[in-house]
Amino acid sequence: MYDVVLLTLGSERDATGGACGSGGACCGGAAEGAGEKTEERCETPRVPVLACADALTARGARVEMVTARSDAEIDEVLARLDGPPRSDGLTWPDQDAKTRLVVATASDGQLRAVVRRLVRRYAPAPSRRPADLAANRTVPDLPTVAVLPLDPARSGTHRDLAAQLGLPRDPAAVAAAVLDGRAHRLDLLRNDAGSVTLDGALLGAADDAGRPLHWRARVEVDDVVLSNGDEPIMACAVGNAGGYARLDDVALLADPDPTDGRVEVAVAVPVVTRSALGRKRVRLEVRRARGRAVAIVPRDEKVPFLDDGVEGELSRKRSWWTEPGAWAVWTA
């Protein structure tokens, strides 16, 4: 029977802020050296976590519940997924491990925080690339994880990654997938800022009245240039899955697929035309491309974005590239 670790990140606020453990804090407490402390809010396991633990225990699994408040504490859990020592000294995942990991998530950003640490743990340095690593990958097959949504009913309108993938949301069904399910391998987007993207990113912002703010950037997918940086852009979507396929009533991404080994990118550009009577009209042109990698070079000082629901600002070139089938989830 399996050993199962039920991992909860200490605070939705800190974990969705990007790197759970940014500055060392991940649970209601201030980062080391920040000079202040906030209230601890994450000692008691959530009801879905307890229900999943009970379902696993009833099936004979040995269950441990862990609340991680920093990257270091996440890494302590992930170390249990390591494989036997290799002759080249690399830390590699155990593909036949009897330890299985369930990540309880209040947001896609929390799941991303864990997968990001998996990549940091198992990605070899370029100078130590082993011969048994696939030519189109920079990371080995990462350990399969189970996703336990902390909002089983998903009362909101946004479809999180678990909903898009059709993963079980009921704690008992998640437990069954961990013990009896199959591994469903998915593409992963890595980027040159050292992070990862599971679902997608949306670049752009609106003013207080909800009107989109225009910005400029060079957007290039492999050898296809979607914008050369001279024209205004309303929005840009970088999609592995479909979380950012639409922006209000505008269809950005056509058919993003997290298993096709490609990233889909779209830019929405306002185009001015004139009627036969000379009246000026503005229509929205959506340009799309698929490829292995995308590079975005902002021409403006800062471009706001959401990446797996995590807010940020882009002030320099950012590149994403696809790692086909690099991570996996347990599904029924």
Side-chain angles (χ1 to χ4, degrees):
M1 186 46 66
Y2 296 106
D3 293 315
V4 180
V5 181
L6 267 164
L7 174 63
T8 304
L9 300 194
S11 165
E12 179 180 3
R13 173 178 61 83
D14 288 321
T16 56
C20 172
S22 176
C26 196
C27 177
E32 183 178 350
E36 61 181 40
K37 294 190 72 174
T38 55
E39 180 185 0
E40 292 287 339
R41 300 179 296 176
C42 46
E43 292 301 325
T44 304
R46 297 275 291 273
V47 170
V49 177
L50 295 173
C52 188
D54 288 344
L56 288 164
T57 301
R59 291 283 308 276
R62 295 177 290 271
V63 180
E64 180 180 355
M65 291 181 287
V66 177
T67 298
R69 300 172 181 81
S70 67
D71 282 345
E73 292 182 350
I74 295 175
D75 292 345
E76 288 179 8
V77 172
L78 302 185
R80 308 182 195 189
L81 307 177
D82 290 355
R86 290 170 52 106
S87 59
D88 55 15
L90 293 174
T91 301
W92 220 244
D94 186 354
Q95 301 301 333
D96 298 318
K98 294 300 182 182
T99 298
R100 295 197 166 176
L101 176 64
V102 180
V103 183
T105 61
S107 67
D108 288 343
Q110 290 190 329
L111 179 60
R112 182 181 83 156
V114 175
V115 177
R116 174 177 172 269
R117 297 311 300 175
L118 283 170
V119 171
R120 293 281 291 236
R121 183 168 193 85
Y122 296 121
S127 60
R128 300 186 64 191
R129 181 182 178 88
D132 57 344
L133 184 60
N136 62 348
R137 293 262 291 274
T138 65
V139 294
D141 284 355
L142 299 176
T144 306
V145 301
V147 180
L148 173 64
L150 291 177
D151 177 11
R154 196 58 197 176
S155 56
T157 57
H158 176 73
R159 297 180 71 239
D160 61 12
L161 192 58
Q164 294 179 56
L165 297 174
L167 300 182
R169 306 190 74 88
D170 177 75
V174 173
V178 172
L179 300 179
D180 304 322
R182 62 182 180 86
H184 179 43
R185 300 218 67 85
L186 300 162
D187 301 336
L188 176 70
L189 296 181
R190 293 191 68 185
N191 66 57
D192 53 6
S195 191
V196 300
T197 300
L198 308 180
D199 186 351
L202 179 66
L203 291 84
D207 61 17
D208 293 338
R211 295 183 296 264
L213 299 174
H214 295 164
W215 47 281
R216 290 173 171 80
R218 180 179 176 85
V219 181
E220 189 171 359
V221 183
D222 291 351
D223 296 326
V224 177
V225 177
L226 295 179
S227 177
N228 61 13
D230 294 332
E231 57 195 337
I233 296 174
M234 187 185 79
C236 174
V238 177
N240 187 41
Y244 298 107
R246 298 189 65 88
L247 179 61
D248 296 330
D249 59 346
V250 178
L252 294 176
L253 305 175
D255 188 25
D257 181 354
T259 64
D260 67 356
R262 294 289 183 267
V263 56
E264 183 177 353
V265 183
V267 296
V269 178
V271 177
V272 177
T273 61
R274 292 188 180 275
S275 68
L277 299 178
R279 294 176 181 174
K280 185 169 67 173
R281 296 177 180 176
V282 179
R283 65 178 177 85
L284 194 63
E285 180 177 284
V286 178
R287 305 167 187 167
R288 303 181 181 94
R290 293 176 183 268
R292 177 71 194 279
V294 53
I296 299 177
V297 184
R299 302 303 190 201
D300 298 326
E301 183 177 353
K302 292 180 180 179
V303 179
F305 67 85
L306 289 173
D307 192 332
D308 284 342
V310 180
E311 295 181 357
E313 290 184 330
L314 193 64
S315 59
R316 63 183 67 183
K317 180 181 177 181
R318 177 70 51 85
S319 297
W320 288 263
W321 66 89
T322 306
E323 300 278 342
W327 74 296
V329 292
W330 291 112
T331 187

